[in-house]
């Protein structure tokens, strides 16, 4: 469909109304090619007197990311894509990116990308008009129809338990873990059709997920749905033998449920992602149980047999040992003989 030419003001309005999620692969590739390389130091055009490098780090500075997210962005092989993902989670728009790029003086990026961004905005608007969006904006995962047809069921490394107000934390966790090759079952994205919600949740946790990652926040503690998920998972492995539950602390000063106090936690506020990776990679399904079963213990003592082996001959009891001690009145031990003729005191 032909589009009318847009004025500069209309373009800015279009950009400001369209989320960054609307940018397609081609637009992201152009941004990465121009923002990933080392930039040159320059002063921002907004008159603040702030100097930044005119690559992805300049946008990071303008968006005021916290230190842990700056490190995640910088460590990524494609920092610009990671930056766009992080900005999307902050509900930034194409207009915010447009402003940041212009503020760094990168007119070259605007000139190359403008037409692509306008097209992406229109495609996004058309899709919104065609069908309502999912409430939870997590990329759809393909349904593996071949596996279903063959009677196979998809298995997951972990079930992700999170409270809906923590969607941003959940999406960041999903991206970090799936980039490492882990498969996650995410409620709201991978839900199975039909059946009662709690019944299907219980089925997935027990039959199709090796572990349950719980994102511990204040909102998590007040969520009935999360409470059901974690308590059901705990019931499956109440002694933590199979490491079914992996508690992940996502906020400062969050209280760990009392029944999970004995389980080690990962704290992503301290950037303990590698600890979480190791926990998910640990192959423990059935191994810990088999290990405990393989242990050898000394045979239990048969008390009845022990007493049977001790044959007391009453006719050999020494009367003098049976008499009370004169002043104290304490009765001495009784001397007797066992079945082998050994002298014992009873």
């Amino acid at each position: 469909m032909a589009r009318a030419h847009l004025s500069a003001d209309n373009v800015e309005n279009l950009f400001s109304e369209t989320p960054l999620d609307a940018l397609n692969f081609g637009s992201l590739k152009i941004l990465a090619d121009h923002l990933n390389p080392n930039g040159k130091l320059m002063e921002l055009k907004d008159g603040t007197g702030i100097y930044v490098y005119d690559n992805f780090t300049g946008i990071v500075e303008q968006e005021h990311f916290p230190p842990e997210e700056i490190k995640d962005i910088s460590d990524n092989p494609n920092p610009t894509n990671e930056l766009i993902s992080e900005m999307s989670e902050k509900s930034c728009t194409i207009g915010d990116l447009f402003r940041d790029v212009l503020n760094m003086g990168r007119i070259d990026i605007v000139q190359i990308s403008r037409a692509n961004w306008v097209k992406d905005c229109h495609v996004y608007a058309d899709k919104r008009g065609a069908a309502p969006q999912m409430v939870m904006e997590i990329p759809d995962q393909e349904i593996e129809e071949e596996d279903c047809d063959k009677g196979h069921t998809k298995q997951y490394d972990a079930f992700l338990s999170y409270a809906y107000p923590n969607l941003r934390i959940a999406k960041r966790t999903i991206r970090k873990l799936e980039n490492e090759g882990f498969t996650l079952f995410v409620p709201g994205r991978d839900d199975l059709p039909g059946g009662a919600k709690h019944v299907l949740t219980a089925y997935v946790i027990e039959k199709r997920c090796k572990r349950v990652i719980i994102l511990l926040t204040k909102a998590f503690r007040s969520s009935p749905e999360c409470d059901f998920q974690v308590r059901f998972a705990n019931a499956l492995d109440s002694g933590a033998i199979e490491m079914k539950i992996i508690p992940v602390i996502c906020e400062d000063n969050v209280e760990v449920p009392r029944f999970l106090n004995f389980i080690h936690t990962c704290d992503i506020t301290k950037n303990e992602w590698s600890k979480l990776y190791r926990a998910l990679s640990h192959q423990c399904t059935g191994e810990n149980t088999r290990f405990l079963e393989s242990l050898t213990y000394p045979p239990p003592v048969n008390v009845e047999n022990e007493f049977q082996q001790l044959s007391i001959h009453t006719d050999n009891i020494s009367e003098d040992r049976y008499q009370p001690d004169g002043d104290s009145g304490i009765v001495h031990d009784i001397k007797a003989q066992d079945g082998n003729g050994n002298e014992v005191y009873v």
Side-chain angles (χ1 to χ4, degrees), residues 73-193:
I73 294 169
S74 301
D75 290 347
N76 194 283
N78 190 336
T80 299
N81 272 11
E82 181 73 6
L83 169 64
I84 298 302
S85 296
E86 294 285 357
M87 289 179 67
S88 297
E89 292 178 14
K90 292 173 62 177
S91 301
C92 291
T93 65
I94 295 177
D96 295 320
L97 178 65
F98 181 70
R99 180 203 64 220
D100 292 341
V101 170
L102 280 179
N103 200 23
M104 294 193 304
R106 294 299 302 266
I107 304 299
D108 57 324
I109 295 179
V110 174
Q111 291 174 336
I112 295 172
S113 300
R114 182 181 181 278
N116 294 64
W117 293 0
V118 169
K119 182 195 67 154
D120 293 343
C121 290
H122 288 316
V123 170
Y124 177 81
D126 289 343
K127 287 183 177 179
R128 285 192 66 186
Q133 287 186 304
M134 290 178 63
V135 174
M136 183 175 180
E137 294 179 3
I138 293 179
D140 292 330
Q141 192 174 45
E142 241 179 79
I143 299 174
E144 300 184 0
E145 293 182 357
E146 292 183 4
D147 286 347
C148 296
D149 291 341
K150 296 176 183 178
H152 299 156
T153 54
K154 182 171 182 178
Q155 299 297 311
Y156 299 87
D157 291 312
F159 180 99
L160 187 67
S161 179
Y162 67 96
Y164 185 76
N166 304 131
L167 180 57
R168 179 173 172 272
I169 298 173
K171 291 174 72 175
R172 183 183 180 214
T173 304
I174 293 165
R175 189 173 66 255
K176 296 278 285 187
L177 294 180
E178 292 189 341
N179 284 345
E180 293 291 324
F182 297 109
T183 55
L184 301 178
F185 185 96
V186 182
R189 183 190 74 176
D190 305 312
D191 292 338
L192 302 177

Side-chain angles (χ1 to χ4, degrees), residues 31-314:
L31 284 170
D33 289 344
H34 287 78
L35 291 174
N36 281 347
N38 294 331
K40 62 179 184 293
L41 191 65
M42 51 82 59
E43 184 180 359
L44 293 177
K45 306 298 183 183
D46 56 9
T48 58
I50 295 174
Y51 281 79
V52 299
Y53 285 93
D54 61 353
N55 61 355
F56 74 92
T57 61
I59 299 176
V60 169
E61 291 287 339
Q62 294 181 76
E63 293 297 329
H64 308 293
F65 281 100
E68 64 273 11
E69 293 185 11
I70 293 175
K71 187 177 186 307
D72 289 340
I73 294 169
S74 301
D75 290 347
N76 194 283
N78 190 336
T80 299
N81 272 11
E82 181 73 6
L83 169 64
I84 298 302
S85 296
E86 294 285 357
M87 289 179 67
S88 297
E89 292 178 14
K90 292 173 62 177
S91 301
C92 291
T93 65
I94 295 177
D96 295 320
L97 178 65
F98 181 70
R99 180 203 64 220
D100 292 341
V101 170
L102 280 179
N103 200 23
M104 294 193 304
R106 294 299 302 266
I107 304 299
D108 57 324
I109 295 179
V110 174
Q111 291 174 336
I112 295 172
S113 300
R114 182 181 181 278
N116 294 64
W117 293 0
V118 169
K119 182 195 67 154
D120 293 343
C121 290
H122 288 316
V123 170
Y124 177 81
D126 289 343
K127 287 183 177 179
R128 285 192 66 186
Q133 287 186 304
M134 290 178 63
V135 174
M136 183 175 180
E137 294 179 3
I138 293 179
D140 292 330
Q141 192 174 45
E142 241 179 79
I143 299 174
E144 300 184 0
E145 293 182 357
E146 292 183 4
D147 286 347
C148 296
D149 291 341
K150 296 176 183 178
H152 299 156
T153 54
K154 182 171 182 178
Q155 299 297 311
Y156 299 87
D157 291 312
F159 180 99
L160 187 67
S161 179
Y162 67 96
Y164 185 76
N166 304 131
L167 180 57
R168 179 173 172 272
I169 298 173
K171 291 174 72 175
R172 183 183 180 214
T173 304
I174 293 165
R175 189 173 66 255
K176 296 278 285 187
L177 294 180
E178 292 189 341
N179 284 345
E180 293 291 324
F182 297 109
T183 55
L184 301 178
F185 185 96
V186 182
R189 183 190 74 176
D190 305 312
D191 292 338
L192 302 177
K197 191 171 187 179
H198 283 336
V199 172
L200 291 175
T201 296
Y203 163 76
V204 170
I205 290 175
E206 181 179 7
K207 301 295 186 183
R208 300 180 67 175
C209 297
K210 296 177 184 176
R211 294 179 178 83
V212 175
I213 298 171
I214 59 174
L215 302 184
L216 287 174
T217 61
K218 296 178 181 65
F220 184 96
R221 296 302 309 276
S222 58
S223 168
E225 187 172 359
C226 293
D227 184 69
F228 169 80
Q229 293 164 0
V230 69
R231 288 184 182 277
F232 179 78
N234 185 60
L236 295 175
D237 185 27
S238 57
I241 294 174
E242 296 297 329
M243 293 174 60
K244 184 74 173 178
I245 297 177
I246 304 177
V248 178
I249 296 175
C250 304
E251 291 178 350
D252 294 329
N253 303 318
V254 65
E255 183 182 355
V256 179
R258 183 176 299 177
F259 62 92
L260 297 179
N261 276 340
F262 67 98
I263 300 178
H264 288 296
T265 62
C266 298
D267 190 343
I268 62 174
T269 67
K270 298 178 182 177
N271 208 33
E272 292 184 344
W273 291 103
S274 60
K275 189 175 179 181
L276 180 55
Y277 300 155
R278 289 197 304 272
L280 283 172
S281 299
H282 183 63
Q283 299 297 323
C284 69
T285 304
E287 288 184 0
N288 290 337
T289 302
R290 289 193 293 272
F291 170 74
L292 292 175
E293 292 174 346
S294 68
L295 293 178
T296 57
Y297 300 92
V301 176
N302 190 322
V303 179
E304 184 178 352
N305 289 341
E306 288 291 316
F307 274 105
Q308 287 176 353
Q309 292 174 9
L310 182 62
S311 174
I312 298 178
H313 301 280
T314 55

